[in-house]
Amino acid sequence: MIYYTIKRLGLALLVALTVSFISFGLLYLSSDPAIAMAGETASDADIEAIRKLYGFDRPILVQYFDWLQRAMGGDLGKSYYFRTDVSSLIGERLPTTMTLGVCAITFAIVLSVPLGVAAAIRPNSLVDRVALFLSVMGQALPSFWFALMLIVFLSVNLRLLPTSGSDTWLHFVMPTVVLGYYAAPAIMRLTRTGMLEVLSTDYIRTARAKGLRPWVVLFKHALRNAIIPVVSLAAVQFGFMLGGSIVVETIFALHGAGFLAWESITRNDLPTVQGLILVFSLFYIVLTFFADLLNAWLDPRIRIN
Amino acid sequence: MASSDSQPNDATSVYGLMKKRVRGHQGMIIGSLIVLSVLLIALLAPLIAPHDPYQQDLLKRLIPPVWDSRGSWEHILGTDHLGRDYLSRLIYGARISLLIGIGAALISGIIGTIMGVMAGYFGGRVDMIVTFMITVRLSMPVVLVALAVVAIVGGSLQVVITVLGLLLWDRFAVVMRSSTLQIRSMDYVAAARAVGCSTSRVLVTEVMPNVVNNLIVIATIEIAHAIILEAALSFLGLGVQPPLPSWGLMVSEGKDMMLFEAWLITIPGVALFLLVLAINLMGDGVRDITAPENRN
Amino acid sequence: MGNRVLSVRNLSVDIPLADGVLHAVDDVNLHVDRGETLCIVGESGCGKSLTSLALMDLLPKKAIRTIGRLDLNEASILDYSERQMSDVRGNRMGMIFQEPMTSLNPAFTIGNQMVETLRRHRDISKSDARDLAKQMLEKVGITAAEQRLTQYPHQLSGGLRQRVMIAMTLLCEPELIIADEPTTALDVTIQAQILLLLRELQHEYDMGLILITHDLGVVARIATRVAVMYAGQIVEQGTVEQIFENPMHPYTRGLMRCIPVPGKTRPGEPLGSIPGMVPSLIGSFTGCRFADRCDLVKEACRKSDVALRDVAGKTQAYRCVIDPQAMTKVA
């Protein structure tokens, strides 16, 4: 397990490094930060001066390592727009996004795992068909449109929920549903196929031959094994949700990191965008790292070896 | 169980079996019909569309669809905030969605397939590198990266297609890698290598035909994925630019009026939903029909 | 208490398939006495495994069981609810499966899986259950039992896992154990050990044992009585001596010819084999099911179904219409 952890950690670090290079290079290659900083009315001389001042005229690798060094110390540069530290800017906005993400993944799991189990117990039954129908529908529903429809019906027509802002928990209900439903179909399907597979194994037959109660067979013996791949998927989906938060936070005016990303992109605020890409990627890498460890811990065949 | 010995196991019946499965698969039939009709509509847009989708008429702004008491048959789905015929924009919008879906899936399909097949076939270091690239790609937030790039380069149809194509290859690579791995270990591939067929020949004649089913399934998933992403990007104002009639853009333009004229967002949204649903149903159908055994 | 542990009459198993109903088990009658080992022999697909699952009421959902009588210790358990049956399983009837590698849950320790069985059927504390589990592991010849309890299945070899399965099945001291090819997946030397163990434990606990196998060598070593199954039917049954010394059914005789005899079978000499294929059991079938593969087949064999008939003055019975005199000549 220790060897596995170290190996996995090495991979995570390597991925993080590559991602940081790509996110740096991507924006470095595709725009001139000096022009962005100087503003549209600046003269060529001004731009040149800024280029020198900030070191934008050095080779890309030098600039990258410079940026990386500072990034590792928590300094992601200054926002062009807000004129404040990018890291503190992101730090301010991240809790809202995290709250939203945790709510959304919880919503998705609570919705999809029981449904997947129920569908697997009776394949082709009514429950199974309804679950399949919902998952096919859910996968085709564009989240931005779903969000607008919810606003129209729940907030405006029925006046049940507030449309935008992040003041009370009620403000999080619709964003949670919109962000969470999209992950639910995949988790539901994986739970279902996992359960179906496990339920046909020899050890489930053994459990029944021992006279164990059906719910013990189902929830102890079957679900414990079927849930292992679901853990990984849920982690991955949680990571994707942060990306998805851009759309959701923008629509519901939830001032989290996703909203910040959209703002910064439209304002050409390069350091902030760069910082956000890095933070989102790092979060995904950390998340999948722990998910893999959890997975190994859940599966004794990996844990004890 | 006893049944396996006594079942007819006849190679010629595979085609018949597939035909039977297609007929039994309602989702696949419905999905294919919808996709086909959207495809036809997109191809024949200039013939079908009742109006010019770009023709503004500020005197005829925001006319509701025909089922509303204020609507008329002249504009069956009404007009938008600039007085453009909504049905015509919807019809031309199908072109954009399909173009982006197919274009992006084509680019990502080529990238992902080459990477996946190489990784699965050569294994070893190639496999390690490809797997690493997939991991890196997965850890980058798609929407954020796409938005940033489009914002910098400027939104146009070509840019959106290219950006999505360069971002969505991961699933192709993952699936192609594992199916190639599976096929490489089979006897006939080993036999082809043993008689001295070149690597590229083995890949093209032995491996590719056997992974084509999976390729189709992934392609449908990614076409649907790209269509949804384009709509989201355009909705956020950082995808296809006005006046192009992208469905995502139509929702975005209707958003300000949605509390009064809900149909403005309902119509393009439903179109988007139906198209994506139909493509997914088709993909599920292909997967079920070509599955080695009938799964529950 | 009577001597008869299990008695089953008119057991059939039907499986509806796309192209008709598969009659996998057809009108089987069996009984097992205390301390007795009944071997059910047949090639794969003959319905012997389904028969054993049917006795435990553990058939796959789509299989339909019809049964005339099912007595455990001379009391009917036929109309037991699923709840009552689950009280019987693992408690009064235990089952050991073919694949020790996959029959234990990989996610739980040996101790967990054994304790859970005991506590399901007995009202005892966890630590008492653990002690009993440990004793039982020692009884089946597992050393360092205390440590084994904390291990996971994947840490044990196939032979050890099968011993664990046996120990787990014995925990509640059942009256009957059904073992479905318990040694098929194991190495030959371990096969012998496991069989010996089963026989010893059976004597010690005075249980009935139903052993399903396709290996006549196993039968010769362990059986008290033998039932030979072919295509879902019992084609011959009797004591182990009767079956081996005087097989009556052409199929049983064919099986006997397949056993190499040390000293008699010369190297290079082909072993006997029975040419032909088992008929499809889908749909209705008339006549002897072995007819297509039988050397002695007559017109009468295909005309009507063949009933079991007793060998005069013996407990042996077989399902064939051919005159025994005629058979011996050919064989």
PDB file of all heavy atoms in Angstrom, chain A residues 102-133:
ATOM      1  N   VAL A 102     -19.842  20.065  -3.527  1.00  0.00           N
ATOM      2  CA  VAL A 102     -20.152  19.008  -2.552  1.00  0.00           C
ATOM      3  C   VAL A 102     -21.655  18.722  -2.548  1.00  0.00           C
ATOM      4  O   VAL A 102     -22.088  17.569  -2.570  1.00  0.00           O
ATOM      5  CB  VAL A 102     -19.659  19.412  -1.137  1.00  0.00           C
ATOM      6  CG1 VAL A 102     -20.185  18.452  -0.095  1.00  0.00           C
ATOM      7  CG2 VAL A 102     -18.145  19.446  -1.107  1.00  0.00           C
ATOM      8  N   CYS A 103     -22.451  19.794  -2.546  1.00  0.00           N
ATOM      9  CA  CYS A 103     -23.904  19.602  -2.591  1.00  0.00           C
ATOM     10  C   CYS A 103     -24.298  18.819  -3.846  1.00  0.00           C
ATOM     11  O   CYS A 103     -25.108  17.891  -3.791  1.00  0.00           O
ATOM     12  CB  CYS A 103     -24.631  20.949  -2.606  1.00  0.00           C
ATOM     13  SG  CYS A 103     -24.526  21.827  -1.060  1.00  0.00           S
ATOM     14  N   ALA A 104     -23.713  19.209  -4.985  1.00  0.00           N
ATOM     15  CA  ALA A 104     -24.113  18.611  -6.258  1.00  0.00           C
ATOM     16  C   ALA A 104     -23.733  17.134  -6.324  1.00  0.00           C
ATOM     17  O   ALA A 104     -24.536  16.302  -6.745  1.00  0.00           O
ATOM     18  CB  ALA A 104     -23.484  19.376  -7.414  1.00  0.00           C
ATOM     19  N   ILE A 105     -22.514  16.797  -5.885  1.00  0.00           N
ATOM     20  CA  ILE A 105     -22.106  15.388  -5.987  1.00  0.00           C
ATOM     21  C   ILE A 105     -22.908  14.554  -4.990  1.00  0.00           C
ATOM     22  O   ILE A 105     -23.286  13.419  -5.278  1.00  0.00           O
ATOM     23  CB  ILE A 105     -20.577  15.223  -5.805  1.00  0.00           C
ATOM     24  CG1 ILE A 105     -20.124  13.820  -6.221  1.00  0.00           C
ATOM     25  CG2 ILE A 105     -20.136  15.448  -4.377  1.00  0.00           C
ATOM     26  CD1 ILE A 105     -20.179  13.569  -7.691  1.00  0.00           C
ATOM     27  N   THR A 106     -23.211  15.133  -3.817  1.00  0.00           N
ATOM     28  CA  THR A 106     -24.046  14.419  -2.851  1.00  0.00           C
ATOM     29  C   THR A 106     -25.427  14.167  -3.442  1.00  0.00           C
ATOM     30  O   THR A 106     -25.965  13.054  -3.371  1.00  0.00           O
ATOM     31  CB  THR A 106     -24.184  15.242  -1.552  1.00  0.00           C
ATOM     32  OG1 THR A 106     -22.895  15.662  -1.149  1.00  0.00           O
ATOM     33  CG2 THR A 106     -24.819  14.426  -0.461  1.00  0.00           C
ATOM     34  N   PHE A 107     -25.983  15.205  -4.038  1.00  0.00           N
ATOM     35  CA  PHE A 107     -27.284  15.072  -4.683  1.00  0.00           C
ATOM     36  C   PHE A 107     -27.248  13.960  -5.735  1.00  0.00           C
ATOM     37  O   PHE A 107     -28.124  13.093  -5.788  1.00  0.00           O
ATOM     38  CB  PHE A 107     -27.665  16.408  -5.324  1.00  0.00           C
ATOM     39  CG  PHE A 107     -28.866  16.359  -6.220  1.00  0.00           C
ATOM     40  CD1 PHE A 107     -30.142  16.233  -5.692  1.00  0.00           C
ATOM     41  CD2 PHE A 107     -28.717  16.438  -7.599  1.00  0.00           C
ATOM     42  CE1 PHE A 107     -31.248  16.195  -6.517  1.00  0.00           C
ATOM     43  CE2 PHE A 107     -29.822  16.385  -8.437  1.00  0.00           C
ATOM     44  CZ  PHE A 107     -31.092  16.264  -7.892  1.00  0.00           C
ATOM     45  N   ALA A 108     -26.195  13.979  -6.569  1.00  0.00           N
ATOM     46  CA  ALA A 108     -26.088  12.990  -7.640  1.00  0.00           C
ATOM     47  C   ALA A 108     -25.993  11.569  -7.074  1.00  0.00           C
ATOM     48  O   ALA A 108     -26.656  10.649  -7.554  1.00  0.00           O
ATOM     49  CB  ALA A 108     -24.868  13.287  -8.518  1.00  0.00           C
ATOM     50  N   ILE A 109     -25.185  11.397  -6.021  1.00  0.00           N
ATOM     51  CA  ILE A 109     -24.991  10.058  -5.460  1.00  0.00           C
ATOM     52  C   ILE A 109     -26.262   9.572  -4.771  1.00  0.00           C
ATOM     53  O   ILE A 109     -26.707   8.439  -4.988  1.00  0.00           O
ATOM     54  CB  ILE A 109     -23.809  10.072  -4.459  1.00  0.00           C
ATOM     55  CG1 ILE A 109     -22.495  10.259  -5.221  1.00  0.00           C
ATOM     56  CG2 ILE A 109     -23.770   8.780  -3.655  1.00  0.00           C
ATOM     57  CD1 ILE A 109     -21.303  10.498  -4.336  1.00  0.00           C
ATOM     58  N   VAL A 110     -26.865  10.449  -3.986  1.00  0.00           N
ATOM     59  CA  VAL A 110     -28.083  10.063  -3.265  1.00  0.00           C
ATOM     60  C   VAL A 110     -29.190   9.688  -4.246  1.00  0.00           C
ATOM     61  O   VAL A 110     -30.004   8.794  -4.013  1.00  0.00           O
ATOM     62  CB  VAL A 110     -28.533  11.212  -2.339  1.00  0.00           C
ATOM     63  CG1 VAL A 110     -29.930  10.986  -1.817  1.00  0.00           C
ATOM     64  CG2 VAL A 110     -27.557  11.347  -1.182  1.00  0.00           C
ATOM     65  N   LEU A 111     -29.193  10.357  -5.383  1.00  0.00           N
ATOM     66  CA  LEU A 111     -30.212  10.064  -6.387  1.00  0.00           C
ATOM     67  C   LEU A 111     -29.903   8.779  -7.146  1.00  0.00           C
ATOM     68  O   LEU A 111     -30.774   7.942  -7.376  1.00  0.00           O
ATOM     69  CB  LEU A 111     -30.284  11.238  -7.373  1.00  0.00           C
ATOM     70  CG  LEU A 111     -31.392  11.203  -8.414  1.00  0.00           C
ATOM     71  CD1 LEU A 111     -32.715  11.527  -7.765  1.00  0.00           C
ATOM     72  CD2 LEU A 111     -31.097  12.196  -9.532  1.00  0.00           C
ATOM     73  N   SER A 112     -28.627   8.603  -7.530  1.00  0.00           N
ATOM     74  CA  SER A 112     -28.342   7.582  -8.532  1.00  0.00           C
ATOM     75  C   SER A 112     -27.973   6.222  -7.946  1.00  0.00           C
ATOM     76  O   SER A 112     -28.306   5.195  -8.544  1.00  0.00           O
ATOM     77  CB  SER A 112     -27.222   8.066  -9.456  1.00  0.00           C
ATOM     78  OG  SER A 112     -26.104   8.445  -8.703  1.00  0.00           O
ATOM     79  N   VAL A 113     -27.296   6.185  -6.802  1.00  0.00           N
ATOM     80  CA  VAL A 113     -26.882   4.879  -6.279  1.00  0.00           C
ATOM     81  C   VAL A 113     -28.089   4.005  -5.881  1.00  0.00           C
ATOM     82  O   VAL A 113     -28.192   2.864  -6.330  1.00  0.00           O
ATOM     83  CB  VAL A 113     -25.865   5.027  -5.131  1.00  0.00           C
ATOM     84  CG1 VAL A 113     -25.635   3.706  -4.432  1.00  0.00           C
ATOM     85  CG2 VAL A 113     -24.543   5.550  -5.680  1.00  0.00           C
ATOM     86  N   PRO A 114     -29.033   4.533  -5.093  1.00  0.00           N
ATOM     87  CA  PRO A 114     -30.203   3.697  -4.776  1.00  0.00           C
ATOM     88  C   PRO A 114     -30.975   3.276  -6.023  1.00  0.00           C
ATOM     89  O   PRO A 114     -31.427   2.137  -6.135  1.00  0.00           O
ATOM     90  CB  PRO A 114     -31.065   4.614  -3.900  1.00  0.00           C
ATOM     91  CG  PRO A 114     -30.146   5.629  -3.368  1.00  0.00           C
ATOM     92  CD  PRO A 114     -29.102   5.833  -4.415  1.00  0.00           C
ATOM     93  N   LEU A 115     -31.077   4.202  -6.985  1.00  0.00           N
ATOM     94  CA  LEU A 115     -31.800   3.888  -8.212  1.00  0.00           C
ATOM     95  C   LEU A 115     -31.077   2.780  -8.984  1.00  0.00           C
ATOM     96  O   LEU A 115     -31.703   1.853  -9.503  1.00  0.00           O
ATOM     97  CB  LEU A 115     -31.900   5.158  -9.066  1.00  0.00           C
ATOM     98  CG  LEU A 115     -33.087   5.266 -10.013  1.00  0.00           C
ATOM     99  CD1 LEU A 115     -34.391   5.101  -9.268  1.00  0.00           C
ATOM    100  CD2 LEU A 115     -33.064   6.606 -10.734  1.00  0.00           C
ATOM    101  N   GLY A 116     -29.753   2.877  -9.028  1.00  0.00           N
ATOM    102  CA  GLY A 116     -28.968   1.862  -9.722  1.00  0.00           C
ATOM    103  C   GLY A 116     -29.097   0.502  -9.057  1.00  0.00           C
ATOM    104  O   GLY A 116     -29.232  -0.522  -9.730  1.00  0.00           O
ATOM    105  N   VAL A 117     -29.083   0.493  -7.717  1.00  0.00           N
ATOM    106  CA  VAL A 117     -29.228  -0.766  -6.984  1.00  0.00           C
ATOM    107  C   VAL A 117     -30.610  -1.357  -7.249  1.00  0.00           C
ATOM    108  O   VAL A 117     -30.753  -2.537  -7.586  1.00  0.00           O
ATOM    109  CB  VAL A 117     -29.019  -0.543  -5.466  1.00  0.00           C
ATOM    110  CG1 VAL A 117     -29.384  -1.790  -4.694  1.00  0.00           C
ATOM    111  CG2 VAL A 117     -27.577  -0.158  -5.194  1.00  0.00           C
ATOM    112  N   ALA A 118     -31.631  -0.508  -7.141  1.00  0.00           N
ATOM    113  CA  ALA A 118     -33.003  -0.982  -7.353  1.00  0.00           C
ATOM    114  C   ALA A 118     -33.161  -1.538  -8.766  1.00  0.00           C
ATOM    115  O   ALA A 118     -33.806  -2.575  -8.973  1.00  0.00           O
ATOM    116  CB  ALA A 118     -33.990   0.157  -7.123  1.00  0.00           C
ATOM    117  N   ALA A 119     -32.548  -0.876  -9.736  1.00  0.00           N
ATOM    118  CA  ALA A 119     -32.656  -1.332 -11.118  1.00  0.00           C
ATOM    119  C   ALA A 119     -31.956  -2.676 -11.306  1.00  0.00           C
ATOM    120  O   ALA A 119     -32.426  -3.533 -12.050  1.00  0.00           O
ATOM    121  CB  ALA A 119     -32.064  -0.293 -12.060  1.00  0.00           C
ATOM    122  N   ALA A 120     -30.841  -2.864 -10.598  1.00  0.00           N
ATOM    123  CA  ALA A 120     -30.073  -4.098 -10.772  1.00  0.00           C
ATOM    124  C   ALA A 120     -30.762  -5.281 -10.100  1.00  0.00           C
ATOM    125  O   ALA A 120     -30.642  -6.416 -10.557  1.00  0.00           O
ATOM    126  CB  ALA A 120     -28.665  -3.923 -10.208  1.00  0.00           C
ATOM    127  N   ILE A 121     -31.486  -5.015  -9.015  1.00  0.00           N
ATOM    128  CA  ILE A 121     -32.154  -6.119  -8.323  1.00  0.00           C
ATOM    129  C   ILE A 121     -33.190  -6.753  -9.242  1.00  0.00           C
ATOM    130  O   ILE A 121     -33.330  -7.973  -9.305  1.00  0.00           O
ATOM    131  CB  ILE A 121     -32.830  -5.613  -7.036  1.00  0.00           C
ATOM    132  CG1 ILE A 121     -31.777  -5.109  -6.061  1.00  0.00           C
ATOM    133  CG2 ILE A 121     -33.636  -6.718  -6.391  1.00  0.00           C
ATOM    134  CD1 ILE A 121     -32.363  -4.412  -4.856  1.00  0.00           C
ATOM    135  N   ARG A 122     -33.904  -5.911  -9.955  1.00  0.00           N
ATOM    136  CA  ARG A 122     -34.901  -6.450 -10.891  1.00  0.00           C
ATOM    137  C   ARG A 122     -34.662  -5.899 -12.288  1.00  0.00           C
ATOM    138  O   ARG A 122     -35.278  -4.897 -12.674  1.00  0.00           O
ATOM    139  CB  ARG A 122     -36.312  -6.086 -10.432  1.00  0.00           C
ATOM    140  CG  ARG A 122     -36.638  -6.616  -9.066  1.00  0.00           C
ATOM    141  CD  ARG A 122     -38.118  -6.645  -8.785  1.00  0.00           C
ATOM    142  NE  ARG A 122     -38.374  -7.040  -7.419  1.00  0.00           N
ATOM    143  CZ  ARG A 122     -38.232  -8.291  -6.968  1.00  0.00           C
ATOM    144  NH1 ARG A 122     -37.875  -9.252  -7.798  1.00  0.00           N
ATOM    145  NH2 ARG A 122     -38.455  -8.580  -5.706  1.00  0.00           N
ATOM    146  N   PRO A 123     -33.766  -6.524 -13.042  1.00  0.00           N
ATOM    147  CA  PRO A 123     -33.515  -6.040 -14.397  1.00  0.00           C
ATOM    148  C   PRO A 123     -34.793  -6.127 -15.239  1.00  0.00           C
ATOM    149  O   PRO A 123     -35.569  -7.079 -15.084  1.00  0.00           O
ATOM    150  CB  PRO A 123     -32.440  -6.989 -14.942  1.00  0.00           C
ATOM    151  CG  PRO A 123     -32.038  -7.859 -13.825  1.00  0.00           C
ATOM    152  CD  PRO A 123     -32.965  -7.686 -12.693  1.00  0.00           C
ATOM    153  N   ASN A 124     -34.999  -5.145 -16.072  1.00  0.00           N
ATOM    154  CA  ASN A 124     -36.153  -5.077 -16.963  1.00  0.00           C
ATOM    155  C   ASN A 124     -37.479  -4.850 -16.249  1.00  0.00           C
ATOM    156  O   ASN A 124     -38.534  -4.920 -16.869  1.00  0.00           O
ATOM    157  CB  ASN A 124     -36.275  -6.330 -17.837  1.00  0.00           C
ATOM    158  CG  ASN A 124     -35.133  -6.419 -18.836  1.00  0.00           C
ATOM    159  OD1 ASN A 124     -34.691  -5.395 -19.348  1.00  0.00           O
ATOM    160  ND2 ASN A 124     -34.636  -7.616 -19.074  1.00  0.00           N
ATOM    161  N   SER A 125     -37.419  -4.578 -14.957  1.00  0.00           N
ATOM    162  CA  SER A 125     -38.662  -4.274 -14.255  1.00  0.00           C
ATOM    163  C   SER A 125     -39.037  -2.812 -14.509  1.00  0.00           C
ATOM    164  O   SER A 125     -38.320  -2.083 -15.192  1.00  0.00           O
ATOM    165  CB  SER A 125     -38.484  -4.492 -12.761  1.00  0.00           C
ATOM    166  OG  SER A 125     -37.567  -3.537 -12.263  1.00  0.00           O
ATOM    167  N   LEU A 126     -40.125  -2.388 -13.912  1.00  0.00           N
ATOM    168  CA  LEU A 126     -40.577  -1.008 -14.075  1.00  0.00           C
ATOM    169  C   LEU A 126     -39.523  -0.034 -13.544  1.00  0.00           C
ATOM    170  O   LEU A 126     -39.182   0.955 -14.188  1.00  0.00           O
ATOM    171  CB  LEU A 126     -41.914  -0.819 -13.343  1.00  0.00           C
ATOM    172  CG  LEU A 126     -42.575   0.542 -13.564  1.00  0.00           C
ATOM    173  CD1 LEU A 126     -43.033   0.690 -14.996  1.00  0.00           C
ATOM    174  CD2 LEU A 126     -43.718   0.771 -12.592  1.00  0.00           C
ATOM    175  N   VAL A 127     -38.991  -0.349 -12.344  1.00  0.00           N
ATOM    176  CA  VAL A 127     -37.973   0.521 -11.746  1.00  0.00           C
ATOM    177  C   VAL A 127     -36.788   0.669 -12.690  1.00  0.00           C
ATOM    178  O   VAL A 127     -36.274   1.758 -12.923  1.00  0.00           O
ATOM    179  CB  VAL A 127     -37.476  -0.072 -10.404  1.00  0.00           C
ATOM    180  CG1 VAL A 127     -36.480   0.876  -9.750  1.00  0.00           C
ATOM    181  CG2 VAL A 127     -38.632  -0.343  -9.481  1.00  0.00           C
ATOM    182  N   ASP A 128     -36.349  -0.455 -13.246  1.00  0.00           N
ATOM    183  CA  ASP A 128     -35.200  -0.454 -14.142  1.00  0.00           C
ATOM    184  C   ASP A 128     -35.476   0.425 -15.354  1.00  0.00           C
ATOM    185  O   ASP A 128     -34.644   1.227 -15.766  1.00  0.00           O
ATOM    186  CB  ASP A 128     -34.896  -1.891 -14.571  1.00  0.00           C
ATOM    187  CG  ASP A 128     -33.588  -1.985 -15.335  1.00  0.00           C
ATOM    188  OD1 ASP A 128     -32.751  -1.074 -15.186  1.00  0.00           O
ATOM    189  OD2 ASP A 128     -33.415  -2.959 -16.074  1.00  0.00           O
ATOM    190  N   ARG A 129     -36.663   0.263 -15.911  1.00  0.00           N
ATOM    191  CA  ARG A 129     -37.003   1.043 -17.102  1.00  0.00           C
ATOM    192  C   ARG A 129     -37.074   2.526 -16.803  1.00  0.00           C
ATOM    193  O   ARG A 129     -36.590   3.358 -17.563  1.00  0.00           O
ATOM    194  CB  ARG A 129     -38.343   0.561 -17.690  1.00  0.00           C
ATOM    195  CG  ARG A 129     -38.171  -0.674 -18.543  1.00  0.00           C
ATOM    196  CD  ARG A 129     -39.478  -1.430 -18.684  1.00  0.00           C
ATOM    197  NE  ARG A 129     -39.208  -2.817 -19.009  1.00  0.00           N
ATOM    198  CZ  ARG A 129     -39.045  -3.262 -20.247  1.00  0.00           C
ATOM    199  NH1 ARG A 129     -39.124  -2.431 -21.259  1.00  0.00           N
ATOM    200  NH2 ARG A 129     -38.792  -4.531 -20.476  1.00  0.00           N
ATOM    201  N   VAL A 130     -37.696   2.851 -15.661  1.00  0.00           N
ATOM    202  CA  VAL A 130     -37.784   4.266 -15.275  1.00  0.00           C
ATOM    203  C   VAL A 130     -36.385   4.838 -15.072  1.00  0.00           C
ATOM    204  O   VAL A 130     -36.070   5.929 -15.552  1.00  0.00           O
ATOM    205  CB  VAL A 130     -38.634   4.423 -13.993  1.00  0.00           C
ATOM    206  CG1 VAL A 130     -38.503   5.836 -13.440  1.00  0.00           C
ATOM    207  CG2 VAL A 130     -40.090   4.104 -14.293  1.00  0.00           C
ATOM    208  N   ALA A 131     -35.525   4.078 -14.389  1.00  0.00           N
ATOM    209  CA  ALA A 131     -34.163   4.543 -14.139  1.00  0.00           C
ATOM    210  C   ALA A 131     -33.430   4.771 -15.456  1.00  0.00           C
ATOM    211  O   ALA A 131     -32.756   5.785 -15.650  1.00  0.00           O
ATOM    212  CB  ALA A 131     -33.404   3.532 -13.277  1.00  0.00           C
ATOM    213  N   LEU A 132     -33.582   3.834 -16.371  1.00  0.00           N
ATOM    214  CA  LEU A 132     -32.908   3.955 -17.664  1.00  0.00           C
ATOM    215  C   LEU A 132     -33.434   5.170 -18.427  1.00  0.00           C
ATOM    216  O   LEU A 132     -32.676   5.947 -18.998  1.00  0.00           O
ATOM    217  CB  LEU A 132     -33.127   2.677 -18.478  1.00  0.00           C
ATOM    218  CG  LEU A 132     -32.330   2.622 -19.767  1.00  0.00           C
ATOM    219  CD1 LEU A 132     -30.852   2.446 -19.465  1.00  0.00           C
ATOM    220  CD2 LEU A 132     -32.821   1.484 -20.659  1.00  0.00           C
ATOM    221  N   PHE A 133     -34.763   5.324 -18.391  1.00  0.00           N
ATOM    222  CA  PHE A 133     -35.403   6.447 -19.076  1.00  0.00           C
ATOM    223  C   PHE A 133     -34.850   7.763 -18.535  1.00  0.00           C
ATOM    224  O   PHE A 133     -34.447   8.638 -19.297  1.00  0.00           O
ATOM    225  CB  PHE A 133     -36.918   6.356 -18.865  1.00  0.00           C
ATOM    226  CG  PHE A 133     -37.697   7.463 -19.494  1.00  0.00           C
ATOM    227  CD1 PHE A 133     -37.964   7.445 -20.853  1.00  0.00           C
ATOM    228  CD2 PHE A 133     -38.168   8.521 -18.735  1.00  0.00           C
ATOM    229  CE1 PHE A 133     -38.680   8.470 -21.443  1.00  0.00           C
ATOM    230  CE2 PHE A 133     -38.884   9.544 -19.313  1.00  0.00           C
ATOM    231  CZ  PHE A 133     -39.142   9.528 -20.665  1.00  0.00           C
TER     232      PHE A 133
END
